[in-house]
Amino acid sequence: MKRSRKPQIPVEFLLQMGTCDVTIHGVKLTAHVANCAAAVDKHIANLRCHLECTTKVVGLDVKKLKPATGGYTTHALILCVFRRCLIIHLDYVGNHGNAPESLDNFLNDPKICFVGITKLPEIFYLVKFSNPDVGVQVGDLAARVLRNPALTESSLSDLALQVGVPYEGPPSPTTEIEVDSRNPKVLTDEHVMAAASDGYAYYQIGYKLLTSL
């Protein structure tokens, strides 16, 4: 069996370098950016620990990271739990064409409700998921829990208002984040907040709905 390439920077330093404290929708939380499979493994284990003592709901989103002056557009997978957001740079964590096993298993856990996007992206040649269909669309979840079909196509801001959670973003989710062309791997605090904004809103709405049952 071939082993994945060892990160050039030890994982313990990568974990610290990729961590920042930000405020999203009025909530102070800790965000982590993972650029290698080893860091993903550590962070997924941490998310599982948090899910053991709370309702098993995760905000799930994907953003395209587009260099400001042209170049290769990369992809970020965002997972939000409690006051934690994990931003995974998918283009750099593939293991021989597949997603890290810890991430793949996490996304296929039948005990977790993923709220947000419903289909994971497959980045050809770089990373594939064993099951790209995951999660429930936030409007669909709200409609089913509150028994109101009209909520199915509501905007994210309207859903937040309806459910009663703070939301400071635009009415509709954004799909692209503009990053610095000189080093697209480096995300500033502003990039992190923009990338995690929708995912954290999905988590808050999903958590409020599912804990009301």
Side-chain angles (χ1 to χ4, degrees), residues 18-22 29-33 83-87 192 196:
T19 298
C20 64
D21 293 324
V22 294
L29 52 89
T30 300
H32 305 281
V33 180
R83 294 192 177 182
R84 298 279 190 281
C85 279
L86 173 58
I87 300 173
V192 167

Side-chain angles (χ1 to χ4, degrees), residues 17-25 29-35 61 63 65 76-80 84-89 174 177-179 184-200:
M17 290 162 55
T19 298
C20 64
D21 293 324
V22 294
T23 299
I24 298 178
H25 310 315
L29 52 89
T30 300
H32 305 281
V33 180
N35 293 317
D61 196 20
K63 299 296 185 194
L65 304 178
L77 176 68
I78 297 97
L79 301 168
C80 297
R84 298 279 190 281
C85 279
L86 173 58
I87 300 173
I88 301 173
H89 233 136
T174 56
I177 305 296
E178 189 176 274
V179 296
K185 276 189 179 182
V186 177
L187 301 185
T188 65
D189 288 2
E190 288 73 22
H191 291 144
V192 167
M193 288 188 287
S197 175
D198 296 334
Y200 194 66

Side-chain angles (χ1 to χ4, degrees), residues 100-170:
E101 186 176 1
S102 61
L103 175 60
D104 209 37
N105 290 340
F106 185 71
L107 294 170
N108 281 288
D109 191 328
K111 296 181 180 179
I112 299 174
C113 182
F114 294 93
V115 181
I117 64 168
T118 59
K119 195 172 188 66
L120 298 168
E122 282 203 0
I123 306 172
F124 197 56
Y125 290 134
L126 294 177
V127 58
K128 295 181 181 179
F129 297 95
S130 61
N131 178 22
D133 298 312
V134 63
V136 58
Q137 196 268 343
V138 67
D140 181 46
L141 179 66
R144 293 163 69 179
V145 172
L146 300 176
R147 295 184 292 280
N148 183 351
L151 295 176
T152 304
E153 297 181 356
S154 293
S155 67
L156 188 54
S157 58
D158 285 344
L159 286 172
L161 182 63
Q162 176 73 30
V163 175
V165 300
Y167 179 72
E168 300 174 348

Side-chain angles (χ1 to χ4, degrees), residues 28-47:
K28 293 182 179 180
L29 52 89
T30 300
H32 305 281
V33 180
N35 293 317
C36 71
V40 170
D41 292 343
K42 295 283 188 181
H43 287 307
I44 291 297
N46 190 27
L47 289 185

